[in-house]
Amino acid sequence: MDKEVLDSTPEVIHNIPQPAFEDFIARQLEHDSNVEIRKGVAFVSSEQEGDYVISHVEDRSTKARWSCRSKHVIACDGARSRVREFLNIECEGDDGYETMMTIHFKADLRPVVRDRVGMLHWIMDPACSGFIIAYDLGCNQVLISNFDSKKHPAETWDEELARSTVLAAIGRDMPVEVLSYRPWLLSRKVSKEYRHGNIFL
């Protein structure tokens, strides 16, 4: 990154994998008496009572439910938000969607990239289109790729297909370790509203 950006911001961009960033935030907050972090908990419903929101949640493993009271609720639960659906807030945009595959892998891409270092490496090739997020060119990358769900339905994917897709994206045969792969749908829609009472999407 050009050092001139520091004229406008106190920090340069830090390219950090989401799991590592979440772990960092959790460690910073674990001794804060104002914060309690609970994982594996799902939103069920909520209602506004005066200036407060009563949220009803469920433990995913035990199915136990309980309620909590807060001044605000910040959903942060993605494009298929259960909070948004519960509030009956509609989306608008393109009804079409693309099938995508996220593949987390380890490979040494430094000999491939050489001096063309970047955070996002775009791939435009019939064999594989998408982009590679280079968290660490030596060992930690994620490929986000379009795929033909008719030719390769999501349930038929295995580690070997994921590996061959990564190699097609790289453009050469080389050692690659596939850590995980997960399909998802890319939909070009936005919510019509981002606030309902004291609940924010």
Side-chain angles (χ1 to χ4, degrees), residues 103-124:
I103 305 173
H104 185 196
F105 68 97
K106 289 175 64 176
D108 186 358
L109 298 184
R110 290 171 295 187
V112 179
V113 174
R114 292 178 291 187
D115 61 346
R116 297 167 297 176
V117 176
M119 288 188 295
L120 294 180
H121 297 267
W122 292 90
I123 302 135
M124 298 179 185

PDB file of all heavy atoms in Angstrom, residues 103-124:
ATOM      1  N   ILE A 103     -13.337 -21.933  -0.942  1.00  0.00           N
ATOM      2  CA  ILE A 103     -12.371 -22.996  -0.662  1.00  0.00           C
ATOM      3  C   ILE A 103     -11.195 -22.402   0.104  1.00  0.00           C
ATOM      4  O   ILE A 103     -10.487 -21.530  -0.403  1.00  0.00           O
ATOM      5  CB  ILE A 103     -11.865 -23.658  -1.959  1.00  0.00           C
ATOM      6  CG1 ILE A 103     -13.048 -24.157  -2.802  1.00  0.00           C
ATOM      7  CG2 ILE A 103     -10.915 -24.811  -1.635  1.00  0.00           C
ATOM      8  CD1 ILE A 103     -12.647 -24.683  -4.170  1.00  0.00           C
ATOM      9  N   HIS A 104     -11.003 -22.860   1.325  1.00  0.00           N
ATOM     10  CA  HIS A 104      -9.871 -22.428   2.150  1.00  0.00           C
ATOM     11  C   HIS A 104      -8.734 -23.421   1.913  1.00  0.00           C
ATOM     12  O   HIS A 104      -8.917 -24.628   2.068  1.00  0.00           O
ATOM     13  CB  HIS A 104     -10.284 -22.416   3.622  1.00  0.00           C
ATOM     14  CG  HIS A 104      -9.238 -21.875   4.534  1.00  0.00           C
ATOM     15  ND1 HIS A 104      -9.262 -22.075   5.898  1.00  0.00           N
ATOM     16  CD2 HIS A 104      -8.117 -21.138   4.291  1.00  0.00           C
ATOM     17  CE1 HIS A 104      -8.216 -21.489   6.448  1.00  0.00           C
ATOM     18  NE2 HIS A 104      -7.503 -20.920   5.503  1.00  0.00           N
ATOM     19  N   PHE A 105      -7.574 -22.927   1.527  1.00  0.00           N
ATOM     20  CA  PHE A 105      -6.484 -23.840   1.188  1.00  0.00           C
ATOM     21  C   PHE A 105      -5.124 -23.275   1.596  1.00  0.00           C
ATOM     22  O   PHE A 105      -4.983 -22.078   1.869  1.00  0.00           O
ATOM     23  CB  PHE A 105      -6.490 -24.160  -0.315  1.00  0.00           C
ATOM     24  CG  PHE A 105      -6.148 -22.998  -1.212  1.00  0.00           C
ATOM     25  CD1 PHE A 105      -4.860 -22.827  -1.704  1.00  0.00           C
ATOM     26  CD2 PHE A 105      -7.113 -22.078  -1.585  1.00  0.00           C
ATOM     27  CE1 PHE A 105      -4.538 -21.763  -2.539  1.00  0.00           C
ATOM     28  CE2 PHE A 105      -6.807 -21.007  -2.422  1.00  0.00           C
ATOM     29  CZ  PHE A 105      -5.517 -20.853  -2.899  1.00  0.00           C
ATOM     30  N   LYS A 106      -4.155 -24.176   1.637  1.00  0.00           N
ATOM     31  CA  LYS A 106      -2.771 -23.809   1.919  1.00  0.00           C
ATOM     32  C   LYS A 106      -1.917 -24.132   0.701  1.00  0.00           C
ATOM     33  O   LYS A 106      -1.965 -25.246   0.181  1.00  0.00           O
ATOM     34  CB  LYS A 106      -2.236 -24.580   3.131  1.00  0.00           C
ATOM     35  CG  LYS A 106      -2.828 -24.161   4.457  1.00  0.00           C
ATOM     36  CD  LYS A 106      -2.341 -25.050   5.589  1.00  0.00           C
ATOM     37  CE  LYS A 106      -0.851 -24.930   5.800  1.00  0.00           C
ATOM     38  NZ  LYS A 106      -0.398 -25.724   6.978  1.00  0.00           N
ATOM     39  N   ALA A 107      -1.160 -23.148   0.256  1.00  0.00           N
ATOM     40  CA  ALA A 107      -0.217 -23.337  -0.848  1.00  0.00           C
ATOM     41  C   ALA A 107       0.774 -22.187  -0.810  1.00  0.00           C
ATOM     42  O   ALA A 107       0.474 -21.116  -0.276  1.00  0.00           O
ATOM     43  CB  ALA A 107      -0.939 -23.377  -2.190  1.00  0.00           C
ATOM     44  N   ASP A 108       1.931 -22.404  -1.365  1.00  0.00           N
ATOM     45  CA  ASP A 108       2.926 -21.338  -1.454  1.00  0.00           C
ATOM     46  C   ASP A 108       2.776 -20.668  -2.817  1.00  0.00           C
ATOM     47  O   ASP A 108       3.251 -21.173  -3.835  1.00  0.00           O
ATOM     48  CB  ASP A 108       4.335 -21.906  -1.289  1.00  0.00           C
ATOM     49  CG  ASP A 108       5.386 -20.798  -1.232  1.00  0.00           C
ATOM     50  OD1 ASP A 108       5.016 -19.609  -1.364  1.00  0.00           O
ATOM     51  OD2 ASP A 108       6.576 -21.123  -1.062  1.00  0.00           O
ATOM     52  N   LEU A 109       2.085 -19.537  -2.831  1.00  0.00           N
ATOM     53  CA  LEU A 109       1.814 -18.832  -4.085  1.00  0.00           C
ATOM     54  C   LEU A 109       2.872 -17.781  -4.421  1.00  0.00           C
ATOM     55  O   LEU A 109       2.756 -17.098  -5.440  1.00  0.00           O
ATOM     56  CB  LEU A 109       0.434 -18.163  -4.027  1.00  0.00           C
ATOM     57  CG  LEU A 109      -0.765 -19.097  -3.870  1.00  0.00           C
ATOM     58  CD1 LEU A 109      -2.062 -18.297  -3.927  1.00  0.00           C
ATOM     59  CD2 LEU A 109      -0.766 -20.183  -4.931  1.00  0.00           C
ATOM     60  N   ARG A 110       3.894 -17.667  -3.592  1.00  0.00           N
ATOM     61  CA  ARG A 110       4.912 -16.645  -3.857  1.00  0.00           C
ATOM     62  C   ARG A 110       5.615 -16.840  -5.197  1.00  0.00           C
ATOM     63  O   ARG A 110       5.823 -15.857  -5.921  1.00  0.00           O
ATOM     64  CB  ARG A 110       5.918 -16.613  -2.698  1.00  0.00           C
ATOM     65  CG  ARG A 110       5.319 -16.046  -1.406  1.00  0.00           C
ATOM     66  CD  ARG A 110       6.231 -16.215  -0.221  1.00  0.00           C
ATOM     67  NE  ARG A 110       6.433 -17.627   0.105  1.00  0.00           N
ATOM     68  CZ  ARG A 110       7.088 -18.059   1.179  1.00  0.00           C
ATOM     69  NH1 ARG A 110       7.604 -17.189   2.031  1.00  0.00           N
ATOM     70  NH2 ARG A 110       7.224 -19.353   1.408  1.00  0.00           N
ATOM     71  N   PRO A 111       5.959 -18.089  -5.600  1.00  0.00           N
ATOM     72  CA  PRO A 111       6.581 -18.248  -6.924  1.00  0.00           C
ATOM     73  C   PRO A 111       5.630 -17.928  -8.073  1.00  0.00           C
ATOM     74  O   PRO A 111       6.076 -17.602  -9.176  1.00  0.00           O
ATOM     75  CB  PRO A 111       6.971 -19.734  -6.943  1.00  0.00           C
ATOM     76  CG  PRO A 111       7.019 -20.155  -5.521  1.00  0.00           C
ATOM     77  CD  PRO A 111       5.957 -19.351  -4.838  1.00  0.00           C
ATOM     78  N   VAL A 112       4.318 -18.031  -7.824  1.00  0.00           N
ATOM     79  CA  VAL A 112       3.331 -17.739  -8.867  1.00  0.00           C
ATOM     80  C   VAL A 112       3.116 -16.231  -8.990  1.00  0.00           C
ATOM     81  O   VAL A 112       3.122 -15.660 -10.080  1.00  0.00           O
ATOM     82  CB  VAL A 112       1.987 -18.437  -8.556  1.00  0.00           C
ATOM     83  CG1 VAL A 112       0.953 -18.116  -9.623  1.00  0.00           C
ATOM     84  CG2 VAL A 112       2.181 -19.940  -8.423  1.00  0.00           C
ATOM     85  N   VAL A 113       2.932 -15.580  -7.857  1.00  0.00           N
ATOM     86  CA  VAL A 113       2.624 -14.148  -7.846  1.00  0.00           C
ATOM     87  C   VAL A 113       3.872 -13.306  -8.103  1.00  0.00           C
ATOM     88  O   VAL A 113       3.820 -12.271  -8.770  1.00  0.00           O
ATOM     89  CB  VAL A 113       1.979 -13.765  -6.495  1.00  0.00           C
ATOM     90  CG1 VAL A 113       1.779 -12.260  -6.396  1.00  0.00           C
ATOM     91  CG2 VAL A 113       0.652 -14.487  -6.326  1.00  0.00           C
ATOM     92  N   ARG A 114       5.000 -13.744  -7.548  1.00  0.00           N
ATOM     93  CA  ARG A 114       6.265 -13.009  -7.639  1.00  0.00           C
ATOM     94  C   ARG A 114       6.095 -11.574  -7.124  1.00  0.00           C
ATOM     95  O   ARG A 114       5.717 -11.398  -5.975  1.00  0.00           O
ATOM     96  CB  ARG A 114       6.806 -13.068  -9.069  1.00  0.00           C
ATOM     97  CG  ARG A 114       7.251 -14.482  -9.454  1.00  0.00           C
ATOM     98  CD  ARG A 114       7.737 -14.558 -10.869  1.00  0.00           C
ATOM     99  NE  ARG A 114       6.646 -14.366 -11.818  1.00  0.00           N
ATOM    100  CZ  ARG A 114       6.773 -14.526 -13.128  1.00  0.00           C
ATOM    101  NH1 ARG A 114       7.946 -14.876 -13.643  1.00  0.00           N
ATOM    102  NH2 ARG A 114       5.739 -14.342 -13.926  1.00  0.00           N
ATOM    103  N   ASP A 115       6.330 -10.566  -7.954  1.00  0.00           N
ATOM    104  CA  ASP A 115       6.263  -9.192  -7.459  1.00  0.00           C
ATOM    105  C   ASP A 115       4.872  -8.576  -7.612  1.00  0.00           C
ATOM    106  O   ASP A 115       4.663  -7.414  -7.286  1.00  0.00           O
ATOM    107  CB  ASP A 115       7.294  -8.312  -8.172  1.00  0.00           C
ATOM    108  CG  ASP A 115       7.075  -8.241  -9.677  1.00  0.00           C
ATOM    109  OD1 ASP A 115       6.310  -9.076 -10.201  1.00  0.00           O
ATOM    110  OD2 ASP A 115       7.668  -7.362 -10.325  1.00  0.00           O
ATOM    111  N   ARG A 116       3.891  -9.370  -8.073  1.00  0.00           N
ATOM    112  CA  ARG A 116       2.524  -8.851  -8.246  1.00  0.00           C
ATOM    113  C   ARG A 116       1.714  -9.110  -6.978  1.00  0.00           C
ATOM    114  O   ARG A 116       0.655  -9.745  -7.002  1.00  0.00           O
ATOM    115  CB  ARG A 116       1.872  -9.502  -9.458  1.00  0.00           C
ATOM    116  CG  ARG A 116       2.572  -9.182 -10.777  1.00  0.00           C
ATOM    117  CD  ARG A 116       2.095 -10.088 -11.884  1.00  0.00           C
ATOM    118  NE  ARG A 116       2.419 -11.491 -11.598  1.00  0.00           N
ATOM    119  CZ  ARG A 116       2.057 -12.509 -12.370  1.00  0.00           C
ATOM    120  NH1 ARG A 116       1.351 -12.291 -13.458  1.00  0.00           N
ATOM    121  NH2 ARG A 116       2.394 -13.746 -12.053  1.00  0.00           N
ATOM    122  N   VAL A 117       2.206  -8.609  -5.881  1.00  0.00           N
ATOM    123  CA  VAL A 117       1.601  -8.870  -4.577  1.00  0.00           C
ATOM    124  C   VAL A 117       0.328  -8.042  -4.413  1.00  0.00           C
ATOM    125  O   VAL A 117       0.284  -6.864  -4.765  1.00  0.00           O
ATOM    126  CB  VAL A 117       2.600  -8.544  -3.448  1.00  0.00           C
ATOM    127  CG1 VAL A 117       1.950  -8.721  -2.084  1.00  0.00           C
ATOM    128  CG2 VAL A 117       3.831  -9.435  -3.578  1.00  0.00           C
ATOM    129  N   GLY A 118      -0.704  -8.670  -3.889  1.00  0.00           N
ATOM    130  CA  GLY A 118      -1.952  -7.970  -3.623  1.00  0.00           C
ATOM    131  C   GLY A 118      -2.793  -8.769  -2.650  1.00  0.00           C
ATOM    132  O   GLY A 118      -2.448  -9.897  -2.290  1.00  0.00           O
ATOM    133  N   MET A 119      -3.913  -8.193  -2.218  1.00  0.00           N
ATOM    134  CA  MET A 119      -4.821  -8.910  -1.324  1.00  0.00           C
ATOM    135  C   MET A 119      -5.823  -9.744  -2.104  1.00  0.00           C
ATOM    136  O   MET A 119      -6.210 -10.823  -1.684  1.00  0.00           O
ATOM    137  CB  MET A 119      -5.547  -7.921  -0.413  1.00  0.00           C
ATOM    138  CG  MET A 119      -4.659  -7.323   0.653  1.00  0.00           C
ATOM    139  SD  MET A 119      -5.592  -6.340   1.842  1.00  0.00           S
ATOM    140  CE  MET A 119      -6.192  -5.025   0.807  1.00  0.00           C
ATOM    141  N   LEU A 120      -6.265  -9.216  -3.250  1.00  0.00           N
ATOM    142  CA  LEU A 120      -7.219  -9.928  -4.096  1.00  0.00           C
ATOM    143  C   LEU A 120      -6.576 -10.196  -5.451  1.00  0.00           C
ATOM    144  O   LEU A 120      -6.057  -9.276  -6.091  1.00  0.00           O
ATOM    145  CB  LEU A 120      -8.500  -9.114  -4.295  1.00  0.00           C
ATOM    146  CG  LEU A 120      -9.370  -8.861  -3.070  1.00  0.00           C
ATOM    147  CD1 LEU A 120     -10.591  -8.041  -3.462  1.00  0.00           C
ATOM    148  CD2 LEU A 120      -9.798 -10.162  -2.423  1.00  0.00           C
ATOM    149  N   HIS A 121      -6.623 -11.445  -5.866  1.00  0.00           N
ATOM    150  CA  HIS A 121      -6.092 -11.834  -7.169  1.00  0.00           C
ATOM    151  C   HIS A 121      -7.253 -12.385  -7.993  1.00  0.00           C
ATOM    152  O   HIS A 121      -7.775 -13.466  -7.707  1.00  0.00           O
ATOM    153  CB  HIS A 121      -4.979 -12.877  -7.004  1.00  0.00           C
ATOM    154  CG  HIS A 121      -3.795 -12.357  -6.249  1.00  0.00           C
ATOM    155  ND1 HIS A 121      -2.704 -11.808  -6.870  1.00  0.00           N
ATOM    156  CD2 HIS A 121      -3.560 -12.270  -4.915  1.00  0.00           C
ATOM    157  CE1 HIS A 121      -1.823 -11.423  -5.963  1.00  0.00           C
ATOM    158  NE2 HIS A 121      -2.325 -11.688  -4.767  1.00  0.00           N
ATOM    159  N   TRP A 122      -7.673 -11.621  -9.007  1.00  0.00           N
ATOM    160  CA  TRP A 122      -8.847 -11.974  -9.794  1.00  0.00           C
ATOM    161  C   TRP A 122      -8.500 -13.012 -10.856  1.00  0.00           C
ATOM    162  O   TRP A 122      -7.440 -12.957 -11.476  1.00  0.00           O
ATOM    163  CB  TRP A 122      -9.437 -10.722 -10.447  1.00  0.00           C
ATOM    164  CG  TRP A 122     -10.015  -9.797  -9.425  1.00  0.00           C
ATOM    165  CD1 TRP A 122      -9.369  -8.787  -8.771  1.00  0.00           C
ATOM    166  CD2 TRP A 122     -11.342  -9.824  -8.897  1.00  0.00           C
ATOM    167  NE1 TRP A 122     -10.218  -8.176  -7.877  1.00  0.00           N
ATOM    168  CE2 TRP A 122     -11.436  -8.790  -7.937  1.00  0.00           C
ATOM    169  CE3 TRP A 122     -12.460 -10.614  -9.153  1.00  0.00           C
ATOM    170  CZ2 TRP A 122     -12.602  -8.530  -7.230  1.00  0.00           C
ATOM    171  CZ3 TRP A 122     -13.628 -10.356  -8.454  1.00  0.00           C
ATOM    172  CH2 TRP A 122     -13.690  -9.323  -7.504  1.00  0.00           C
ATOM    173  N   ILE A 123      -9.426 -13.953 -11.066  1.00  0.00           N
ATOM    174  CA  ILE A 123      -9.234 -15.023 -12.039  1.00  0.00           C
ATOM    175  C   ILE A 123     -10.347 -14.938 -13.070  1.00  0.00           C
ATOM    176  O   ILE A 123     -11.530 -14.966 -12.718  1.00  0.00           O
ATOM    177  CB  ILE A 123      -9.264 -16.407 -11.362  1.00  0.00           C
ATOM    178  CG1 ILE A 123      -8.192 -16.481 -10.282  1.00  0.00           C
ATOM    179  CG2 ILE A 123      -9.085 -17.512 -12.374  1.00  0.00           C
ATOM    180  CD1 ILE A 123      -8.665 -17.084  -9.017  1.00  0.00           C
ATOM    181  N   MET A 124      -9.970 -14.816 -14.331  1.00  0.00           N
ATOM    182  CA  MET A 124     -10.939 -14.787 -15.425  1.00  0.00           C
ATOM    183  C   MET A 124     -10.515 -15.846 -16.428  1.00  0.00           C
ATOM    184  O   MET A 124      -9.701 -15.597 -17.318  1.00  0.00           O
ATOM    185  CB  MET A 124     -10.980 -13.394 -16.062  1.00  0.00           C
ATOM    186  CG  MET A 124     -11.411 -12.309 -15.099  1.00  0.00           C
ATOM    187  SD  MET A 124     -11.436 -10.671 -15.823  1.00  0.00           S
ATOM    188  CE  MET A 124     -11.839  -9.662 -14.397  1.00  0.00           C
TER     189      MET A 124
END
